[in-house]
Amino acid sequence: MEAHISAPHWGRYVSVFLLFSAVLNTASAVTHYSIPEEMEEGSVVADLAADLGLDVKTLSKRRIRLDVIANKKYLDVNKETGQLYIAERIDREFICTTKTSTSCFLKMEAIVENPQRIFYIELEIMDINDNAPNFRRDTINLDLSEATQAGERFSVNNAVDLDVGANSVKTYHLSDSDHFNIEIQTGRDGSKFADLILKKALDREQQAVHNLILTAVDGGVPTRSGTASITVRVLDTNDNAPKFDKDNYKIDIMENSPIGSLVVKLNATDLDEGTNSEILYSYSLYTSEKTQQTFHLNPNNGEITVKEMINYEDFRIYDMEVIATDKGPNSLTGQCKLTILVTDMNDNHPEISIKSFQSPVKEDIQVDSVIAVVSVSDKDSGENGIVDIRIADTLPFALRESSDNYYELVVSEPLDREKVPEYDITFTVTDRGSPPLSDNETMTLELLDVNDNVPQFSQSFYTIPVMENNAPGALLSSLTAFDPDLHENQYLVYFIIEKEIVNTSMSMLFSINPENGNLYALKTFDYEIEKEFLFHIEARDSGVPPLSSNVTVHIVIVDQNDNPPVIVSPWRAHGSVVEEKIPRSTDKGSLVSKVIAIDTDSVQNSRITYQFLQVTDATLFSLDQYNGEIRTMRMFSYRDPRHQRLVVIAKDNGDPALSATVTIKLSTVETAVKAYSDMTEVPLEYDIFSDLNLYLVIGLGSVSFLLLITILVTCVLKCQKPKPSKAAPPSRNSVISERNSTIADSTLVSNDAYWYSLFLAETRKGKLVVRQPAPKAGSRYIVSSLPRSTGLTETSDSAASTLQYPK
């Protein structure tokens, strides 16, 4: 009986052959099943209970079981359903190891009890294509001579497939190759194998190794395959002759090359390998004995070296032929030709010859003037004999070729001796050899000075302060100029450019040393007369023609504090005390008197301040230190003394300070003094005389007379008690003294024939204005007297008078 059993997991039907005997009670019946290998565990093979005619419900009681085969329980029976199922994976190749038969059976017994029965079961395991063809060796190595003829056949290992039948190896494939293919053979047992056939001759020099892939393919569905690598190594034969890199060599060599120096290294190659490629070098019979004596050939590496000294004059060209022979069984050879050209060595230095040279030359030499002529030469030939000449680019000269190998040295830029007094000119000659040789020659060119530079002062304007009262002949300054020229062009002479000031020449006031420029004062200067001088000094060199320059000199006379203050108000006689009268009823702050002093020094030294030197009562009077006004600080009391003595000092701002004092004696009276009537301006005219003559005697007599009258009038007025009166006092007269300044009321006489500027002098009796005239002979000095009120508490403004000069 044959049954087909479904295998659910595989999804296909498996034929099961079930044979029963005619008698069910006997054990001779065999149940036959057929399944594929590798079914999954748990897969149902057949309904064993139904096939054996057993009741499913009694299987457990009857304890149905299967015997174990080789300690493996491949199948089992489900006692609940009576189904025969796969208990363990079945591998046909493991169970049936022999390949002599394609059939593989698994036999077992099913035993039940109560009553006991034995059923024989035969399970046929069907082969599936679960194994790929496999080569015994993954790599197959073959060594073939490159001389092997085409058509030769070589056996390779065949592939093995554990599957049987259609699933075993069916064919072989070989990877693409120009030299090999395969032929498939079938053995007596039906196995397949392949022979490797050489279809094209091998050449080791083109390809030394051939790598092939042999693939074995089975007949299963789907097909499986296995591969093996075939490595064919081509063995060398001496079939290639040595060959040089070039057939002809042309080599240049310098004469006098050192013995042993390398000329050339020949290189011949043999495509063969091993001893077939080892090469020996030798001269051929065509190489002369002279060449072989001059050059040595190394037989092993092909180096040609210098054997004897090479002389360009003896031989300029050497020809040789070299043979390369390999060491193969049947030696093969190759050859090349060499031409060695001896090159002339640059062993001679270029030479320079100075044909003419002009030194020294003037610094104003014209541009493009020829200074020197030189020639160059070289004993070598060709490029070695060509000579180039040059000088430094920084020099103001240039080289100009005049003829073959002759050059002129010319001036290319203007020369200046003051910048560069001489030039070291180096001529450098260089040939064009390799390496180049050179030589040099140095000449020194001196420049002669030309008077082309004017004297130069360090400043364009000199301001020289000179203290007044200087000693005659005193050195004021050194005005030195510089001339960068040489010798007589450098020697300088200094002059004062004449200029007259008030009919006085500068050379009468100053002197300059013509050699060193020291400036001296020839007289003593007085700041009060001369305050500054402006003139020019010239420095002239001794060149031809001479050059000169001048500088402006400003002499500034610096004031000294050499004039003490002169008190001009209140007026006092020599050594006498100024007496003033003041009412006792004078109010606080009333002007009692005003001290006015003048100083003929400069502004700084003439600043005057006033102070009390002595005072009877310091609480009664105050003194303004700047304008000299004496005022009452309070009203007089009955306890105050009638007479007050005030000593005022006027001090200038000089260093050291000079001063003058005045003593004022104040007397208090009970009644007020009436004001004087207005006084008209009375000009006082007198002349300045430079010599003692008759006019001076008459003038001195007149002054003495007027002075006597003034003293007498003053004494009378002091002895009398003042009475109120509206009549104006007579106008005051000027008194002139020859040497000492004497101020009588509103009169001023200058000291030492110098006129001083007097500031506005305000007194209790009047105002005085004096201006300084130009110091010309015959000029007149006018003193103006301005009246004021006699009231002690009243003040009046004064109109400034002017000093007029006759035209």
Side-chain angles (χ1 to χ4, degrees):
M1 183 177 193
E2 182 176 354
H4 296 280
I5 300 174
S6 174
H9 180 71
W10 287 75
R12 70 179 190 177
Y13 292 100
V14 178
S15 297
V16 180
F17 296 96
L18 181 64
L19 300 177
F20 296 99
S21 63
V23 183
L24 295 178
N25 294 330
T26 64
S28 58
V30 177
T31 303
H32 183 81
Y33 297 103
S34 178
I35 63 172
E37 63 176 328
E38 303 292 344
M39 289 184 65
E40 292 186 0
E41 295 178 3
S43 298
V44 176
V45 176
D47 189 352
L48 184 62
D51 293 339
L52 297 180
L54 298 175
D55 187 2
V56 175
K57 297 179 181 179
T58 62
L59 292 180
S60 296
K61 292 181 180 181
R62 298 187 66 179
R63 293 189 293 181
I64 186 170
R65 64 183 182 276
L66 296 176
D67 60 344
V68 179
I69 303 172
N71 296 325
K72 288 185 176 291
K73 190 174 183 180
Y74 293 105
L75 299 174
D76 201 356
V77 178
N78 189 331
K79 296 180 177 60
E80 299 296 331
T81 62
Q83 293 178 336
L84 180 67
Y85 64 92
I86 303 297
E88 188 174 345
R89 186 181 70 88
I90 300 174
D91 186 359
R92 178 187 178 282
E93 289 75 25
F94 178 78
I95 296 173
C96 302
T97 58
T98 179
K99 296 191 64 178
T100 56
S101 174
T102 58
S103 299
C104 181
F105 294 95
L106 185 63
K107 296 180 179 181
M108 61 189 72
E109 296 176 349
I111 301 174
V112 293
E113 296 179 358
N114 299 321
Q116 182 176 6
R117 293 185 65 183
I118 299 175
F119 299 95
Y120 296 98
I121 301 173
E122 186 178 69
L123 181 65
E124 182 180 6
I125 308 300
M126 305 298 293
D127 182 47
I128 65 173
N129 192 24
D130 59 343
N131 291 281
N134 182 37
F135 289 91
R136 295 184 179 89
R137 289 184 297 174
D138 294 336
T139 302
I140 303 172
N141 294 317
L142 291 177
D143 291 336
L144 302 180
S145 172
E146 63 178 329
T148 303
Q149 299 297 318
E152 287 285 338
R153 184 185 299 267
F154 306 97
S155 297
V156 295
N157 296 328
N158 61 324
V160 177
D161 194 331
L162 298 179
D163 295 326
V164 295
N167 294 331
S168 63
V169 176
K170 292 300 181 182
T171 187
Y172 292 89
H173 300 289
L174 183 67
S175 60
D176 293 339
S177 174
D178 294 334
H179 295 82
F180 298 94
N181 58 14
I182 59 174
E183 185 176 306
I184 302 174
Q185 303 291 335
T186 304
R188 294 180 179 179
D189 57 353
S191 61
K192 305 289 185 181
F193 59 90
D195 289 338
L196 185 66
I197 300 174
L198 180 65
K199 66 179 182 178
K200 182 180 179 181
L202 301 173
D203 188 348
R204 190 202 63 80
E205 288 72 32
Q206 292 183 358
Q207 187 173 355
V209 177
H210 296 264
N211 294 312
L212 306 173
I213 302 297
L214 181 62
T215 304
V217 181
D218 61 19
V221 179
T223 60
R224 291 179 178 268
S225 63
T227 60
S229 298
I230 302 176
T231 301
V232 180
R233 188 165 62 91
V234 182
L235 302 179
D236 182 52
T237 59
N238 192 21
D239 56 346
N240 291 281
K243 186 176 182 180
F244 286 92
D245 294 342
K246 294 190 295 184
D247 294 335
N248 294 283
Y249 290 85
K250 189 174 182 179
I251 302 168
D252 294 325
I253 184 171
M254 295 296 298
E255 67 169 328
N256 302 325
S257 295
I259 294 176
S261 58
L262 180 65
V263 177
V264 66
K265 183 177 181 179
L266 299 177
N267 182 44
T269 56
D270 193 321
L271 298 179
D272 296 324
E273 65 179 359
T275 57
N276 296 332
S277 64
E278 296 179 2
I279 297 174
L280 293 175
Y281 298 90
S282 62
Y283 286 119
S284 71
L285 297 177
Y286 296 102
T287 305
S288 65
E289 292 293 331
K290 176 61 178 177
T291 301
Q292 296 185 37
Q293 291 175 1
T294 306
F295 300 97
H296 173 262
L297 174 61
N298 190 316
N300 296 319
N301 57 20
E303 289 184 351
I304 298 178
T305 56
V306 177
K307 189 176 181 182
E308 291 183 354
M309 185 62 67
I310 301 174
N311 194 340
Y312 176 79
E313 288 71 25
D314 294 340
F315 283 89
R316 299 184 181 184
I317 301 175
Y318 292 89
D319 292 319
M320 64 180 69
E321 185 179 64
V322 177
I323 297 176
T325 305
D326 62 25
K327 296 181 180 180
N330 299 315
S331 298
L332 301 177
T333 62
Q335 60 274 342
C336 71
K337 292 183 179 181
L338 287 84
T339 300
I340 299 178
L341 303 176
V342 180
T343 303
D344 181 30
M345 183 177 181
N346 188 24
D347 52 355
N348 293 287
H349 287 265
E351 297 178 354
I352 181 171
S353 176
I354 308 298
K355 299 302 181 181
S356 67
F357 179 62
Q358 181 184 357
S359 178
V361 297
K362 290 185 177 181
E363 63 174 321
D364 61 349
I365 186 172
Q366 295 296 320
V367 175
D368 210 35
S369 298
V370 178
I371 296 176
V373 177
V374 298
S375 66
V376 296
S377 61
D378 195 317
K379 295 179 181 179
D380 293 321
S381 60
E383 291 292 321
N384 296 334
I386 300 177
V387 180
D388 297 320
I389 183 171
R390 62 180 178 85
I391 59 174
D393 295 336
T394 57
L395 295 176
F397 306 101
L399 285 170
R400 183 173 61 194
E401 187 173 5
S402 59
S403 60
D404 189 19
N405 291 334
Y406 278 82
Y407 297 86
E408 293 177 344
L409 181 67
V410 297
V411 179
S412 61
E413 299 176 10
L415 305 180
D416 190 349
R417 189 209 60 80
E418 286 71 35
K419 293 182 179 178
V420 182
E422 66 178 22
Y423 292 92
D424 289 330
I425 305 173
T426 300
F427 297 92
T428 302
V429 287
T430 306
D431 61 25
R432 297 184 184 179
S434 179
L437 299 179
S438 63
D439 198 1
N440 59 72
E441 183 77 21
T442 300
M443 301 184 306
T444 299
L445 176 65
E446 296 181 4
L447 300 183
L448 296 177
D449 184 51
V450 176
N451 191 25
D452 56 349
N453 292 279
V454 298
Q456 298 176 359
F457 288 92
S458 59
Q459 301 173 220
S460 60
F461 189 90
Y462 287 87
T463 300
I464 303 173
V466 178
M467 191 68 66
E468 68 170 327
N469 301 321
N470 59 289
L475 176 64
L476 303 183
S477 181
S478 180
L479 308 177
T480 304
F482 171 72
D483 193 323
D485 292 325
L486 287 180
H487 308 306
E488 66 276 0
N489 298 330
Q490 188 185 37
Y491 299 147
L492 302 181
V493 180
Y494 300 89
F495 304 93
I496 295 178
I497 299 178
E498 289 296 336
K499 178 182 179 182
E500 290 189 359
I501 300 179
V502 194
N503 299 324
T504 301
S505 173
M506 280 293 111
S507 59
M508 297 178 63
L509 302 177
F510 302 97
S511 172
I512 190 168
N513 189 318
E515 295 183 355
N516 57 24
N518 289 343
L519 184 63
Y520 300 92
L522 297 181
K523 61 167 289 185
T524 300
F525 297 107
D526 192 336
Y527 173 82
E528 288 71 31
I529 298 178
E530 302 121 339
K531 292 182 173 53
E532 63 181 4
F533 299 94
L534 193 67
F535 56 92
H536 299 282
I537 289 179
E538 178 181 304
R540 183 184 306 163
D541 61 26
S542 302
V544 178
L547 300 177
S548 63
S549 63
N550 59 66
V551 66
T552 302
V553 179
H554 183 203
I555 303 294
V556 179
I557 307 301
V558 180
D559 180 48
Q560 279 186 338
N561 193 24
D562 56 348
N563 293 287
V566 176
I567 296 177
V568 298
S569 177
W571 176 86
R572 71 194 191 285
H574 290 290
S576 61
V577 177
V578 177
E579 293 185 1
E580 299 286 350
K581 292 182 180 180
I582 182 172
R584 294 186 67 87
S585 61
T586 300
D587 293 333
K588 175 183 177 181
S590 299
L591 178 65
V592 175
S593 181
K594 183 173 184 179
V595 179
I596 298 177
I598 61 173
D599 193 320
T600 57
D601 290 322
S602 64
V603 176
Q604 185 68 22
N605 292 330
S606 64
R607 293 178 183 175
I608 298 175
T609 56
Y610 303 91
Q611 294 177 349
F612 277 134
L613 193 60
Q614 294 179 8
V615 62
T616 303
D617 189 348
T619 65
L620 188 55
F621 301 100
S622 66
L623 173 63
D624 191 302
Q625 63 174 341
Y626 297 111
N627 59 23
E629 290 183 350
I630 301 175
R631 295 181 181 272
T632 56
M633 296 176 63
R634 58 180 177 81
M635 296 186 63
F636 288 93
S637 66
Y638 67 94
R639 295 188 182 127
D640 294 326
R642 181 181 177 185
H643 300 286
Q644 299 286 334
R645 186 172 182 271
L646 307 177
V647 179
V648 178
I649 182 171
K651 185 185 299 184
D652 62 20
N653 196 39
D655 186 16
L658 301 179
S659 63
T661 61
V662 61
T663 301
I664 302 174
K665 184 178 180 181
L666 293 179
S667 300
T668 57
V669 295
E670 298 299 331
T671 59
V673 181
K674 297 299 182 180
Y676 294 102
S677 62
D678 294 339
M679 300 177 63
T680 60
E681 183 177 279
V682 180
L684 174 62
E685 298 183 1
Y686 58 91
D687 296 329
I688 299 176
F689 299 97
S690 59
D691 300 324
L692 294 177
N693 50 31
L694 179 61
Y695 296 99
L696 179 59
V697 175
I698 295 175
L700 291 174
S702 300
V703 171
S704 301
F705 177 77
L706 292 176
L707 177 61
L708 180 60
I709 296 300
T710 302
I711 294 173
L712 293 175
V713 172
T714 302
C715 293
V716 171
L717 291 176
K718 286 187 177 181
C719 293
Q720 292 180 355
K721 184 177 181 180
K723 296 180 181 181
S725 176
K726 296 183 180 180
S731 62
R732 302 164 191 256
N733 297 322
S734 299
V735 181
I736 302 176
S737 176
E738 180 181 3
R739 296 296 298 173
N740 299 321
S741 297
T742 303
I743 300 179
D745 195 8
S746 61
T747 303
L748 173 66
V749 179
S750 65
N751 183 26
D752 296 331
Y754 295 131
W755 302 109
Y756 297 95
S757 297
L758 302 182
F759 297 100
L760 182 64
E762 180 181 358
T763 65
R764 293 178 63 249
K765 300 176 182 179
K767 290 185 177 180
L768 179 66
V769 176
V770 182
R771 299 286 176 87
Q772 178 181 351
K776 294 183 179 180
S779 62
R780 297 184 180 275
Y781 195 91
I782 302 175
V783 179
S784 299
S785 177
L786 304 179
R788 60 170 295 168
S789 174
T790 57
L792 297 179
T793 60
E794 297 179 1
T795 61
S796 63
D797 296 332
S798 60
S801 64
T802 60
L803 298 180
Q804 301 176 353
Y805 306 99
K807 297 182 180 178

